[in-house]
Amino acid sequence: MGVLINILEQGLLFSLVSIGVYITFKILDFPDLSVDSTFPLGAAISAALLVKGVNPWITIIIATIGGALAGGITAFLHVKLKITNLMAGILVMIGLYSINLRIMGKANIPLFNTPNLFKVAIPAVLIILIMVIVVKILLDLYLKTKSGFLLRAVGDNEQVVSSLGVNKDVVKVIGLMISNGLVALAGALTAQYQGFSDVGMGTGTVVMGLAAVIIGCSLFERISFLKVTTLSIFGAIIYKAAIAIVLKLGLNANDLKLMTAIIVVIALCSNSGVFK
C-alpha cells in the first residue's frame, strides 16, 4: 500500500510538469527545452526562501512567478529577437543553470530540518492532490476563455490568428509563461516533498514530461469526455508506476534515464501507429 501511495504522490507531483509540457509541445507546437532548468529554478527559489524562514506557501507562489518569468524570457527571445524556438529554449536552459546556482549559493540545499508543506499532520498525497485539482480546474476554465481558444489556434494555424487581428506573439508569451510557471510550481513542491533542492534535479525533465503526455494521450485519447489536463495527469501517474515497476524488477537506478528514453520511443511509436 505504501508503494502505491508513493507512486501516486510522485505521479501527481510530476503531472504538473506534464501539463506544462502539454501546453508547449501539443498546444503551441513549441519544443521548449527551458523546462529542464525552470523545474530546478522553482526548487531553488523555494528552498532558498525556506531556509530564511519564509512561509512555505509564499515560497511556492514566488517560485511559480519566477518560472513564468523564465518562460517569458524564452518567448521574448523567440518572438522579438527571432531566435528559433528550439535555440531559445536551449539558451534559457543554459543561462538558468548559473542563475539557479546563484539563487541557492551552492549546488544542493537540504531541507530536512526546515518547516515545509509536508511536515504537517495532513497526508502528503492529499496536499498534492488538492494542488493538482486546483491547477487542473483553473487551467480547464482558462482554456475555455477567448485567450485559451487563441492559444490553441496559434498552435494549429498562426496565419489564421493573425488574420483575425490578434497578436500571435502575445499569445505565445502567455502560453510559455503558464507552462513554465506550472513546471516551476512542480519543482518547488518536489523540493519540499523530497527534502532538498539540487541544481541538477531538472535533467531530463522535458523528456519525462513528454513521455507522460504521450502515454496519457495514447492510452486515453479515445475517451472523449476526458480533458487534456486529465490525460496529462493519468500519463504522469502511469509513467511513474512504470518506472517503479522497472526498479522493483532489479534495474539499476543509474539506468533510469535510459529507461525513460526507451519509454518515450515506445510511446512515440505507439502514437504514430508503427506497431499497428
Side-chain angles (χ1 to χ4, degrees), residues 10-66:
Q10 292 191 30
L12 288 171
L13 272 175
F14 197 74
S15 67
L16 296 171
V17 176
S18 64
I19 292 173
V21 170
Y22 187 94
I23 293 172
T24 51
F25 275 83
K26 285 286 188 177
I27 296 180
L28 282 177
D29 194 23
F30 191 109
D32 183 20
L33 298 184
S34 62
V35 166
D36 273 17
S37 284
T38 49
F39 184 78
L41 172 65
I45 292 173
S46 181
L49 292 174
L50 280 172
V51 295
K52 292 183 178 180
V54 180
N55 184 284
W57 288 107
I58 294 176
T59 69
I60 285 177
I61 294 171
I62 296 174
T64 304
I65 294 171

Short mmCIF file of all heavy atoms in Angstrom, two decimals, residues 10-66:
data_model
loop_
_atom_site.label_atom_id
_atom_site.label_comp_id
_atom_site.label_asym_id
_atom_site.label_seq_id
_atom_site.Cartn_x
_atom_site.Cartn_y
_atom_site.Cartn_z
N GLN A 10 4.22 10.83 -6.33
CA GLN A 10 5.21 11.27 -7.32
C GLN A 10 4.55 11.52 -8.68
O GLN A 10 4.91 12.46 -9.39
CB GLN A 10 6.30 10.21 -7.46
CG GLN A 10 7.17 10.09 -6.22
CD GLN A 10 8.41 9.24 -6.46
OE1 GLN A 10 8.94 9.20 -7.55
NE2 GLN A 10 8.88 8.57 -5.42
N GLY A 11 3.57 10.68 -9.02
CA GLY A 11 2.85 10.86 -10.28
C GLY A 11 2.07 12.16 -10.30
O GLY A 11 2.09 12.89 -11.30
N LEU A 12 1.40 12.48 -9.20
CA LEU A 12 0.63 13.72 -9.13
C LEU A 12 1.55 14.94 -9.15
O LEU A 12 1.24 15.95 -9.78
CB LEU A 12 -0.23 13.73 -7.86
CG LEU A 12 -1.44 12.79 -7.86
CD1 LEU A 12 -2.08 12.73 -6.48
CD2 LEU A 12 -2.48 13.24 -8.89
N LEU A 13 2.68 14.84 -8.45
CA LEU A 13 3.65 15.94 -8.48
C LEU A 13 4.14 16.19 -9.90
O LEU A 13 4.18 17.32 -10.37
CB LEU A 13 4.85 15.60 -7.58
CG LEU A 13 4.79 15.98 -6.10
CD1 LEU A 13 6.01 15.46 -5.38
CD2 LEU A 13 4.66 17.48 -5.92
N PHE A 14 4.47 15.10 -10.58
CA PHE A 14 5.02 15.23 -11.93
C PHE A 14 3.95 15.59 -12.95
O PHE A 14 4.27 16.07 -14.03
CB PHE A 14 5.73 13.95 -12.35
CG PHE A 14 6.65 14.13 -13.51
CD1 PHE A 14 7.86 14.78 -13.34
CD2 PHE A 14 6.31 13.69 -14.78
CE1 PHE A 14 8.71 14.98 -14.41
CE2 PHE A 14 7.15 13.88 -15.85
CZ PHE A 14 8.35 14.53 -15.67
N SER A 15 2.68 15.39 -12.60
CA SER A 15 1.61 15.72 -13.54
C SER A 15 1.58 17.22 -13.84
O SER A 15 1.15 17.63 -14.92
CB SER A 15 0.25 15.26 -12.98
OG SER A 15 -0.11 16.01 -11.83
N LEU A 16 2.03 18.04 -12.89
CA LEU A 16 2.10 19.48 -13.14
C LEU A 16 3.11 19.79 -14.25
O LEU A 16 2.90 20.67 -15.07
CB LEU A 16 2.49 20.21 -11.85
CG LEU A 16 1.49 20.13 -10.70
CD1 LEU A 16 2.09 20.70 -9.42
CD2 LEU A 16 0.20 20.85 -11.04
N VAL A 17 4.21 19.01 -14.26
CA VAL A 17 5.20 19.17 -15.34
C VAL A 17 4.61 18.72 -16.66
O VAL A 17 4.76 19.38 -17.69
CB VAL A 17 6.47 18.34 -15.03
CG1 VAL A 17 7.45 18.41 -16.20
CG2 VAL A 17 7.14 18.84 -13.77
N SER A 18 3.91 17.58 -16.66
CA SER A 18 3.35 17.05 -17.90
C SER A 18 2.28 17.98 -18.48
O SER A 18 2.17 18.13 -19.70
CB SER A 18 2.77 15.64 -17.67
OG SER A 18 1.69 15.66 -16.79
N ILE A 19 1.52 18.64 -17.61
CA ILE A 19 0.53 19.61 -18.09
C ILE A 19 1.25 20.79 -18.75
O ILE A 19 0.84 21.27 -19.81
CB ILE A 19 -0.37 20.11 -16.93
CG1 ILE A 19 -1.26 18.97 -16.43
CG2 ILE A 19 -1.24 21.28 -17.39
CD1 ILE A 19 -2.05 19.32 -15.18
N GLY A 20 2.34 21.26 -18.11
CA GLY A 20 3.11 22.35 -18.69
C GLY A 20 3.72 21.97 -20.03
O GLY A 20 3.69 22.75 -20.99
N VAL A 21 4.26 20.75 -20.11
CA VAL A 21 4.85 20.27 -21.37
C VAL A 21 3.77 20.12 -22.43
O VAL A 21 4.00 20.39 -23.62
CB VAL A 21 5.58 18.93 -21.13
CG1 VAL A 21 5.99 18.29 -22.46
CG2 VAL A 21 6.82 19.15 -20.26
N TYR A 22 2.57 19.70 -22.02
CA TYR A 22 1.45 19.56 -22.97
C TYR A 22 1.13 20.91 -23.63
O TYR A 22 0.90 20.98 -24.84
CB TYR A 22 0.21 19.03 -22.26
CG TYR A 22 -0.92 18.71 -23.21
CD1 TYR A 22 -1.10 17.43 -23.71
CD2 TYR A 22 -1.81 19.70 -23.64
CE1 TYR A 22 -2.12 17.14 -24.60
CE2 TYR A 22 -2.82 19.43 -24.53
CZ TYR A 22 -2.98 18.14 -25.00
OH TYR A 22 -3.98 17.87 -25.90
N ILE A 23 1.15 21.97 -22.84
CA ILE A 23 0.84 23.31 -23.37
C ILE A 23 1.83 23.71 -24.46
O ILE A 23 1.44 24.20 -25.51
CB ILE A 23 0.83 24.35 -22.23
CG1 ILE A 23 -0.34 24.09 -21.27
CG2 ILE A 23 0.73 25.77 -22.79
CD1 ILE A 23 -0.31 24.96 -20.03
N THR A 24 3.12 23.47 -24.21
CA THR A 24 4.13 23.91 -25.19
C THR A 24 4.23 22.95 -26.37
O THR A 24 4.19 23.39 -27.53
CB THR A 24 5.51 24.04 -24.52
OG1 THR A 24 5.81 22.84 -23.79
CG2 THR A 24 5.55 25.21 -23.59
N PHE A 25 4.34 21.67 -26.11
CA PHE A 25 4.58 20.71 -27.18
C PHE A 25 3.33 20.40 -27.99
O PHE A 25 3.38 20.32 -29.22
CB PHE A 25 5.17 19.41 -26.62
CG PHE A 25 6.65 19.44 -26.46
CD1 PHE A 25 7.22 20.01 -25.33
CD2 PHE A 25 7.49 18.92 -27.42
CE1 PHE A 25 8.59 20.05 -25.16
CE2 PHE A 25 8.86 18.95 -27.26
CZ PHE A 25 9.42 19.52 -26.13
N LYS A 26 2.21 20.20 -27.31
CA LYS A 26 0.99 19.76 -28.00
C LYS A 26 0.12 20.92 -28.47
O LYS A 26 -0.42 20.90 -29.57
CB LYS A 26 0.17 18.85 -27.08
CG LYS A 26 0.75 17.45 -26.91
CD LYS A 26 0.52 16.62 -28.16
CE LYS A 26 0.91 15.17 -27.94
NZ LYS A 26 0.62 14.33 -29.13
N ILE A 27 -0.06 21.92 -27.63
CA ILE A 27 -0.94 23.03 -27.99
C ILE A 27 -0.21 24.06 -28.85
O ILE A 27 -0.68 24.43 -29.92
CB ILE A 27 -1.53 23.69 -26.72
CG1 ILE A 27 -2.42 22.71 -25.97
CG2 ILE A 27 -2.33 24.94 -27.09
CD1 ILE A 27 -3.06 23.26 -24.70
N LEU A 28 0.95 24.53 -28.37
CA LEU A 28 1.68 25.58 -29.10
C LEU A 28 2.63 25.04 -30.16
O LEU A 28 3.13 25.81 -30.98
CB LEU A 28 2.49 26.43 -28.11
CG LEU A 28 1.72 27.49 -27.31
CD1 LEU A 28 2.66 28.17 -26.33
CD2 LEU A 28 1.07 28.51 -28.22
N ASP A 29 2.88 23.73 -30.13
CA ASP A 29 3.86 23.12 -31.04
C ASP A 29 5.21 23.82 -30.91
O ASP A 29 5.87 24.17 -31.88
CB ASP A 29 3.36 23.19 -32.50
CG ASP A 29 4.16 22.29 -33.43
OD1 ASP A 29 4.76 21.33 -32.93
OD2 ASP A 29 4.19 22.57 -34.65
N PHE A 30 5.63 24.02 -29.66
CA PHE A 30 6.85 24.74 -29.32
C PHE A 30 7.75 23.82 -28.49
O PHE A 30 7.44 23.53 -27.33
CB PHE A 30 6.49 26.00 -28.53
CG PHE A 30 7.62 26.97 -28.33
CD1 PHE A 30 7.63 28.19 -28.99
CD2 PHE A 30 8.68 26.69 -27.47
CE1 PHE A 30 8.66 29.11 -28.80
CE2 PHE A 30 9.72 27.58 -27.28
CZ PHE A 30 9.70 28.80 -27.96
N PRO A 31 8.86 23.34 -29.04
CA PRO A 31 9.77 22.46 -28.28
C PRO A 31 10.57 23.25 -27.24
O PRO A 31 11.68 23.69 -27.51
CB PRO A 31 10.68 21.87 -29.37
CG PRO A 31 10.68 22.90 -30.45
CD PRO A 31 9.33 23.56 -30.42
N ASP A 32 10.00 23.42 -26.08
CA ASP A 32 10.59 24.28 -25.05
C ASP A 32 11.51 23.47 -24.14
O ASP A 32 11.06 22.83 -23.20
CB ASP A 32 9.47 24.94 -24.25
CG ASP A 32 10.00 25.90 -23.20
OD1 ASP A 32 11.17 26.32 -23.34
OD2 ASP A 32 9.27 26.21 -22.25
N LEU A 33 12.81 23.55 -24.39
CA LEU A 33 13.79 22.82 -23.59
C LEU A 33 14.17 23.56 -22.31
O LEU A 33 14.89 23.00 -21.48
CB LEU A 33 15.04 22.54 -24.42
CG LEU A 33 14.85 21.66 -25.66
CD1 LEU A 33 16.20 21.38 -26.32
CD2 LEU A 33 14.16 20.35 -25.31
N SER A 34 13.68 24.78 -22.14
CA SER A 34 13.99 25.52 -20.92
C SER A 34 13.35 24.87 -19.69
O SER A 34 13.71 25.17 -18.55
CB SER A 34 13.53 26.97 -21.04
OG SER A 34 12.13 27.06 -21.21
N VAL A 35 12.40 23.95 -19.93
CA VAL A 35 11.74 23.22 -18.84
C VAL A 35 12.76 22.52 -17.95
O VAL A 35 12.58 22.43 -16.73
CB VAL A 35 10.74 22.20 -19.43
CG1 VAL A 35 10.30 21.19 -18.39
CG2 VAL A 35 9.53 22.93 -20.00
N ASP A 36 13.85 22.03 -18.55
CA ASP A 36 14.88 21.33 -17.77
C ASP A 36 15.53 22.22 -16.71
O ASP A 36 16.14 21.72 -15.76
CB ASP A 36 15.98 20.81 -18.72
CG ASP A 36 15.64 19.44 -19.27
OD1 ASP A 36 14.46 19.04 -19.20
OD2 ASP A 36 16.55 18.77 -19.80
N SER A 37 15.42 23.54 -16.88
CA SER A 37 16.01 24.45 -15.89
C SER A 37 14.96 25.21 -15.08
O SER A 37 15.27 25.68 -13.98
CB SER A 37 16.94 25.46 -16.57
OG SER A 37 18.17 24.85 -16.92
N THR A 38 13.75 25.35 -15.61
CA THR A 38 12.71 26.02 -14.81
C THR A 38 12.22 25.12 -13.68
O THR A 38 11.75 25.61 -12.65
CB THR A 38 11.52 26.47 -15.68
OG1 THR A 38 11.08 25.40 -16.51
CG2 THR A 38 11.88 27.65 -16.55
N PHE A 39 12.33 23.79 -13.88
CA PHE A 39 11.98 22.87 -12.79
C PHE A 39 12.90 23.07 -11.57
O PHE A 39 12.41 23.31 -10.46
CB PHE A 39 12.04 21.42 -13.30
CG PHE A 39 11.60 20.39 -12.30
CD1 PHE A 39 10.25 20.18 -12.05
CD2 PHE A 39 12.53 19.63 -11.61
CE1 PHE A 39 9.83 19.23 -11.13
CE2 PHE A 39 12.13 18.67 -10.70
CZ PHE A 39 10.78 18.47 -10.45
N PRO A 40 14.24 23.00 -11.75
CA PRO A 40 15.10 23.29 -10.60
C PRO A 40 15.08 24.76 -10.18
O PRO A 40 15.41 25.07 -9.02
CB PRO A 40 16.50 22.90 -11.09
CG PRO A 40 16.42 22.91 -12.57
CD PRO A 40 15.02 22.54 -12.91
N LEU A 41 14.66 25.66 -11.08
CA LEU A 41 14.52 27.07 -10.69
C LEU A 41 13.46 27.20 -9.60
O LEU A 41 13.67 27.89 -8.59
CB LEU A 41 14.13 27.93 -11.90
CG LEU A 41 13.78 29.39 -11.61
CD1 LEU A 41 15.00 30.15 -11.08
CD2 LEU A 41 13.22 30.08 -12.85
N GLY A 42 12.32 26.54 -9.81
CA GLY A 42 11.26 26.57 -8.79
C GLY A 42 11.74 25.97 -7.49
O GLY A 42 11.46 26.51 -6.40
N ALA A 43 12.48 24.87 -7.57
CA ALA A 43 13.02 24.23 -6.37
C ALA A 43 14.03 25.14 -5.67
O ALA A 43 14.03 25.26 -4.44
CB ALA A 43 13.67 22.90 -6.75
N ALA A 44 14.88 25.79 -6.47
CA ALA A 44 15.92 26.66 -5.90
C ALA A 44 15.31 27.86 -5.17
O ALA A 44 15.72 28.19 -4.05
CB ALA A 44 16.85 27.15 -7.02
N ILE A 45 14.32 28.48 -5.80
CA ILE A 45 13.68 29.65 -5.17
C ILE A 45 12.99 29.25 -3.88
O ILE A 45 13.14 29.91 -2.84
CB ILE A 45 12.68 30.29 -6.15
CG1 ILE A 45 13.40 30.91 -7.35
CG2 ILE A 45 11.83 31.35 -5.44
CD1 ILE A 45 12.49 31.42 -8.44
N SER A 46 12.23 28.16 -3.93
CA SER A 46 11.51 27.71 -2.75
C SER A 46 12.47 27.35 -1.61
O SER A 46 12.27 27.76 -0.46
CB SER A 46 10.63 26.50 -3.10
OG SER A 46 9.90 26.06 -1.98
N ALA A 47 13.53 26.59 -1.94
CA ALA A 47 14.48 26.16 -0.92
C ALA A 47 15.23 27.34 -0.31
O ALA A 47 15.41 27.42 0.91
CB ALA A 47 15.47 25.16 -1.52
N ALA A 48 15.67 28.27 -1.17
CA ALA A 48 16.43 29.42 -0.68
C ALA A 48 15.59 30.28 0.27
O ALA A 48 16.10 30.83 1.25
CB ALA A 48 16.91 30.26 -1.86
N LEU A 49 14.30 30.40 -0.03
CA LEU A 49 13.42 31.19 0.83
C LEU A 49 13.04 30.43 2.10
O LEU A 49 12.90 31.04 3.17
CB LEU A 49 12.14 31.57 0.06
CG LEU A 49 12.33 32.55 -1.10
CD1 LEU A 49 11.03 32.74 -1.88
CD2 LEU A 49 12.83 33.90 -0.59
N LEU A 50 12.88 29.11 1.99
CA LEU A 50 12.51 28.31 3.16
C LEU A 50 13.58 28.37 4.25
O LEU A 50 13.26 28.49 5.44
CB LEU A 50 12.27 26.85 2.76
CG LEU A 50 10.93 26.51 2.12
CD1 LEU A 50 10.93 25.07 1.61
CD2 LEU A 50 9.79 26.70 3.12
N VAL A 51 14.84 28.30 3.86
CA VAL A 51 15.92 28.33 4.86
C VAL A 51 16.04 29.69 5.52
O VAL A 51 16.68 29.83 6.57
CB VAL A 51 17.28 27.93 4.22
CG1 VAL A 51 17.25 26.48 3.76
CG2 VAL A 51 17.65 28.86 3.08
N LYS A 52 15.42 30.70 4.91
CA LYS A 52 15.40 32.03 5.51
C LYS A 52 14.15 32.28 6.36
O LYS A 52 13.93 33.38 6.84
CB LYS A 52 15.50 33.10 4.42
CG LYS A 52 16.86 33.11 3.72
CD LYS A 52 16.97 34.23 2.70
CE LYS A 52 18.36 34.25 2.05
NZ LYS A 52 18.48 35.34 1.05
N GLY A 53 13.33 31.22 6.47
CA GLY A 53 12.16 31.30 7.33
C GLY A 53 10.90 31.83 6.68
O GLY A 53 9.93 32.15 7.38
N VAL A 54 10.87 31.91 5.36
CA VAL A 54 9.67 32.40 4.65
C VAL A 54 8.60 31.31 4.66
O VAL A 54 8.90 30.11 4.60
CB VAL A 54 10.02 32.79 3.19
CG1 VAL A 54 8.79 33.28 2.44
CG2 VAL A 54 11.12 33.85 3.18
N ASN A 55 7.34 31.74 4.71
CA ASN A 55 6.21 30.80 4.71
C ASN A 55 6.26 29.91 3.48
O ASN A 55 6.47 30.39 2.36
CB ASN A 55 4.90 31.59 4.73
CG ASN A 55 3.69 30.68 4.82
OD1 ASN A 55 3.29 30.05 3.85
ND2 ASN A 55 3.10 30.62 6.00
N PRO A 56 6.09 28.56 3.65
CA PRO A 56 6.17 27.63 2.51
C PRO A 56 5.23 27.97 1.35
O PRO A 56 5.60 27.81 0.19
CB PRO A 56 5.79 26.28 3.14
CG PRO A 56 6.16 26.42 4.58
CD PRO A 56 5.89 27.86 4.92
N TRP A 57 4.01 28.45 1.65
CA TRP A 57 3.06 28.79 0.59
C TRP A 57 3.54 30.00 -0.21
O TRP A 57 3.39 30.03 -1.44
CB TRP A 57 1.68 29.08 1.19
CG TRP A 57 0.98 27.86 1.70
CD1 TRP A 57 0.79 27.50 3.00
CD2 TRP A 57 0.39 26.81 0.91
NE1 TRP A 57 0.12 26.31 3.08
CE2 TRP A 57 -0.15 25.86 1.80
CE3 TRP A 57 0.27 26.58 -0.47
CZ2 TRP A 57 -0.79 24.71 1.36
CZ3 TRP A 57 -0.38 25.43 -0.90
CH2 TRP A 57 -0.90 24.51 0.00
N ILE A 58 4.14 30.94 0.49
CA ILE A 58 4.67 32.14 -0.20
C ILE A 58 5.83 31.74 -1.11
O ILE A 58 5.95 32.26 -2.23
CB ILE A 58 5.11 33.21 0.82
CG1 ILE A 58 3.89 33.73 1.60
CG2 ILE A 58 5.83 34.36 0.12
CD1 ILE A 58 4.22 34.71 2.69
N THR A 59 6.68 30.81 -0.65
CA THR A 59 7.81 30.37 -1.48
C THR A 59 7.31 29.72 -2.77
O THR A 59 7.92 29.88 -3.83
CB THR A 59 8.71 29.38 -0.73
OG1 THR A 59 8.03 28.13 -0.54
CG2 THR A 59 9.13 29.93 0.62
N ILE A 60 6.21 29.00 -2.67
CA ILE A 60 5.65 28.33 -3.86
C ILE A 60 5.11 29.36 -4.85
O ILE A 60 5.31 29.24 -6.07
CB ILE A 60 4.54 27.34 -3.44
CG1 ILE A 60 5.17 26.11 -2.81
CG2 ILE A 60 3.68 26.94 -4.63
CD1 ILE A 60 4.19 25.11 -2.29
N ILE A 61 4.45 30.38 -4.34
CA ILE A 61 3.91 31.43 -5.20
C ILE A 61 5.05 32.17 -5.92
O ILE A 61 5.00 32.40 -7.13
CB ILE A 61 3.06 32.42 -4.38
CG1 ILE A 61 1.81 31.72 -3.85
CG2 ILE A 61 2.67 33.63 -5.23
CD1 ILE A 61 1.02 32.55 -2.84
N ILE A 62 6.09 32.53 -5.16
CA ILE A 62 7.24 33.24 -5.75
C ILE A 62 7.95 32.35 -6.77
O ILE A 62 8.37 32.82 -7.83
CB ILE A 62 8.22 33.69 -4.65
CG1 ILE A 62 7.53 34.71 -3.73
CG2 ILE A 62 9.48 34.30 -5.25
CD1 ILE A 62 8.35 35.11 -2.52
N ALA A 63 8.08 31.06 -6.46
CA ALA A 63 8.72 30.13 -7.39
C ALA A 63 7.93 30.03 -8.70
O ALA A 63 8.52 30.00 -9.79
CB ALA A 63 8.84 28.74 -6.75
N THR A 64 6.62 29.99 -8.59
CA THR A 64 5.76 29.92 -9.78
C THR A 64 5.93 31.17 -10.63
O THR A 64 6.04 31.09 -11.87
CB THR A 64 4.28 29.76 -9.38
OG1 THR A 64 4.14 28.60 -8.55
CG2 THR A 64 3.39 29.60 -10.61
N ILE A 65 5.98 32.32 -9.99
CA ILE A 65 6.18 33.58 -10.71
C ILE A 65 7.56 33.59 -11.39
O ILE A 65 7.70 34.02 -12.54
CB ILE A 65 6.05 34.79 -9.75
CG1 ILE A 65 4.62 34.89 -9.23
CG2 ILE A 65 6.46 36.09 -10.45
CD1 ILE A 65 4.43 35.91 -8.12
N GLY A 66 8.57 33.09 -10.68
CA GLY A 66 9.91 33.01 -11.25
C GLY A 66 9.95 32.13 -12.49
O GLY A 66 10.58 32.49 -13.50
#
